[in-house]
Each structure stands twice: as C-alpha cells, then as structure tokens.
Amino acid sequence: MTSTGEAPDDEQAQDDPGRRLHAVAVELAAMAQNGLTYGTDRYDLARYERLRSMSADVMALLARTGPADFRAALAAEAGHATPKVDVRGALFDGGKVLLVREGRDGRWTLPGGWADALDAPSEAAEREFLEEAGLRVRATKLAAVHDGSRRNGHAGSPWHIYKLFFLVERLDDTRPTAGLDGETIDVGFFGLDELPELSTGRCTAGQLEILFAHHGEPGLATDFD
C-alpha cells in the first residue's frame, strides 16, 4: 500500500505556533496518561497529574475557553495513550458528494464520527452514515488513512486522531435524511466546485478531492500518512 496524495505540509505546520503548541499539549497529555498508567511512586504520580492539568490549560488557552472540559476529558482516559479513530464515508452521485451539516458548528462534512468498541472500521463508517444521513450504505474501499493533527488541525481536541475515509455505495433508494442521531441538521449533494463551508476538523476540501479521485479511479492505492 503506497501513498498517492500530497504529503502533509509539515513546514507549514511548524510555522503555525498554534498548531505546534497544540501538538505539544497533546504529547504532554499522552506522557502524563502513560505515567499515571505505569508509574508507582506517589511523587511521580503527583507530577503526572500536574502535567495533565497543565496540558488542559494550554488546550483551553488555544480554544479560548475554560480548562474544565479539557481536564475532565483527559482525566476520563485510562491505560496506554493511543490515537482515537474517526471514520468517514464518501458517497458520490455523478460528480457530487453527499455532505451533512453539523449541528455543533453549522458547517458541512462527510457523515462520520468516532468508531465504537467492537465495531469493525467499515461497520463503524456504515453505522455513522445511517445515523447522520439516513442511508444504508456499504463500504467498498478504504481510500485514505490520515493523521488528523497534520491534515485537519484539530486545535479543539485533547487527543491525537487517526482518520479513516471509506468510499461507500447505497443499498437502497431512501431519500437522505439528516438528524436521526440528533447531531446533523441538513444533508445534500455538492460538487467540488460548489462546496459549502466545511467543518475542516472533520474533513477538508483536499480530502474530498482525494476521495473524488478514488471514486473516478477505484484502482488507486490507499492514500496514507
């Protein structure tokens, strides 16, 4: 499996102090979680607790909000720190792709969300598509595996995130319907030259272009970081 898309713009990321500081905060939070998981000395454990709290403070400063939610999210994590998995499904109709409008920020994205425990990756993408767009679909190809920190910023997230993008096909002729999960408020098909404002933490125009290329040429190798 080889990468077919553009390499992440690491130099641009390094030149963005906010993105770099967020990456440092996420790394410190992971170090703190691992220390709390494997540490035994009570003084070390106290230091790791403080390190986790400081990481939440930095994330809150970047998000321009209070640290309470970040502290609670980080404190709820246990075990060895690993990336979380976000799955997205891309359904094309001719030259248009189905997008849903998120209730949280009012912007548009591919249907998707967190993979649940015991979900196969493709099953998670199919489930999220049904919940957010009201359509039964089947995942046909894993088109891209991206590092969300590099490709999507994720400045408001306390975690490192891997993003799995699947091409999907319809299993019925049901009309797309938003809001079945209470998280989406609209749904529609859009051409790449008429995209609405995207929720770029979830998907970007560049990622949609990669998926459209895979739709047009199914034999392309999976794009990955």
Side-chain angles (χ1 to χ4, degrees), residues 16-212:
D16 185 337
R19 287 185 64 181
R20 180 55 187 155
L21 189 57
H22 176 257
V24 170
V26 170
E27 184 175 1
L28 291 176
M31 291 173 61
Q33 182 176 328
N34 289 339
L36 290 168
T37 298
Y38 300 113
T40 57
D41 182 87
R42 64 187 181 97
Y43 296 107
D44 285 343
L45 294 176
R47 294 185 186 98
Y48 289 130
E49 289 278 8
R50 177 57 182 153
L51 186 63
R52 184 168 64 184
S53 179
M54 292 171 64
S55 175
D57 289 343
V58 173
M59 293 175 184
L61 287 172
L62 291 172
R64 299 182 180 181
T65 186
D69 287 345
F70 286 102
R71 289 177 180 171
L74 294 176
E77 295 294 303
H80 189 87
T82 61
K84 289 188 175 292
V85 178
D86 175 82
V87 295
R88 300 280 155 183
L91 174 66
F92 288 92
D93 185 358
K96 296 187 175 184
V97 63
L98 183 143
L99 300 176
V100 292
R101 191 175 187 183
E102 286 283 340
R104 291 184 179 180
D105 60 13
R107 299 174 184 174
W108 295 77
T109 181
L110 293 170
W114 296 129
D116 287 340
L118 302 183
D119 272 345
S122 60
E123 293 171 348
E126 294 163 358
R127 171 181 51 77
E128 286 287 338
F129 211 101
L130 177 61
E131 293 176 354
E132 294 198 347
L135 293 180
R136 293 179 61 248
V137 298
R138 181 177 71 90
T140 59
K141 180 182 181 182
L142 177 61
V145 179
H146 287 169
D147 182 330
S149 296
R150 299 185 183 189
R151 303 275 188 147
N152 300 84
H154 287 163
S157 171
W159 305 293
H160 186 196
I161 299 170
Y162 286 171
K163 303 181 73 67
L164 278 58
F165 293 92
F166 291 89
L167 297 184
V168 302
E169 63 180 14
R170 298 180 68 146
L171 295 180
D172 57 41
D173 295 326
T174 303
R175 183 175 180 178
T177 303
L180 298 183
D181 63 351
E183 296 181 1
T184 56
I185 57 176
D186 202 358
V187 60
F189 283 92
F190 299 88
L192 296 188
D193 59 349
E194 58 177 7
L195 292 174
E197 185 177 10
L198 295 177
S199 182
T200 55
R202 296 177 172 89
C203 76
T204 66
Q207 287 166 331
L208 292 177
E209 291 173 0
I210 290 172
L211 294 168
F212 184 75

